[in-house]
Amino acid sequence: MNQLLLPLLLMLVVAIPLVMGTRKQKKAAAAQQELLSSLAPGDRVMTTSGLYATVADASADTTIDLEIAEGVVTTWLRQAVREKVEPVVETDEDAVDTDEVVESPVVESKDDERVEEKSGAQIAPPLEHGKK
C-alpha cells in the first residue's frame, strides 16, 4: 500500500494543475466567443493590435467592418477584436481651445530645408553624417 501512495500523490500533483489550467482556458475561449458573437454596430472596440474603432457592420460570419476614423471603414477578421471599450466622452477639461494653439512659423533655408523658428532663434537643419 505504501508503495502505491507516493506515485499516486505525484500523479495528483501533476494532474490537478493541468485540469485547472484547461478549465481556465475553456472559460476564456467561451467568453471571447460570446464577445465576438455579441458585437453590434455602434459598439466601441479595441483590436489585438491596439487600434480603437467603432463597429460599422457585423453581419458577416468571419469578418467585421470597423470605422477607425470618420468615414474610414476597414474590414477585419472577427478574431482581431480583443475587447469592448467604453465610448470616449470628451469633457470640458479635455477640450482644447483653438485660440490657445499657436503654431511656430516655418522659415525656408538656402538649402530648401524646413527650419522652424523658436523664440527668435533659428534651429539648424540636422547634420548629415558621412559628408565632409
Side-chain angles (χ1 to χ4, degrees):
M1 180 73 174
N2 287 338
Q3 295 174 346
L4 294 176
L5 188 60
L6 183 60
L8 184 61
L9 286 174
L10 288 174
M11 287 177 51
L12 284 175
V13 167
V14 172
I16 289 176
L18 287 174
V19 170
M20 298 302 283
T22 304
R23 287 186 64 215
K24 189 175 182 179
Q25 285 179 343
K26 284 183 181 179
K27 284 183 180 180
Q32 183 68 14
Q33 189 62 37
E34 169 68 26
L35 167 75
L36 295 178
S37 63
S38 70
L39 291 175
D43 288 344
R44 187 92 172 130
V45 296
M46 181 176 69
T47 65
T48 55
S49 60
L51 179 79
Y52 290 91
T54 304
V55 176
D57 181 27
S59 60
D61 290 336
T62 58
T63 60
I64 189 166
D65 291 340
L66 299 178
E67 184 176 20
I68 56 176
E70 192 170 328
V72 180
V73 178
T74 57
T75 302
W76 293 68
L77 287 174
R78 278 187 182 265
Q79 287 80 10
V81 175
R82 180 178 185 181
E83 62 184 277
K84 281 186 185 180
V85 294
E86 295 297 318
V88 177
V89 178
E90 188 173 305
T91 62
D92 292 338
E93 296 171 0
D94 295 339
V96 176
D97 190 10
T98 57
D99 295 336
E100 295 177 13
V101 177
V102 178
E103 294 185 24
S104 61
V106 175
V107 179
E108 296 293 327
S109 69
K110 294 178 185 176
D111 298 333
D112 290 331
E113 293 184 24
R114 293 177 58 157
V115 179
E116 288 192 9
E117 187 176 7
K118 298 215 183 207
S119 65
Q122 285 189 351
I123 299 173
L127 296 175
E128 294 183 25
H129 296 289
K131 286 189 175 181
K132 290 187 179 182

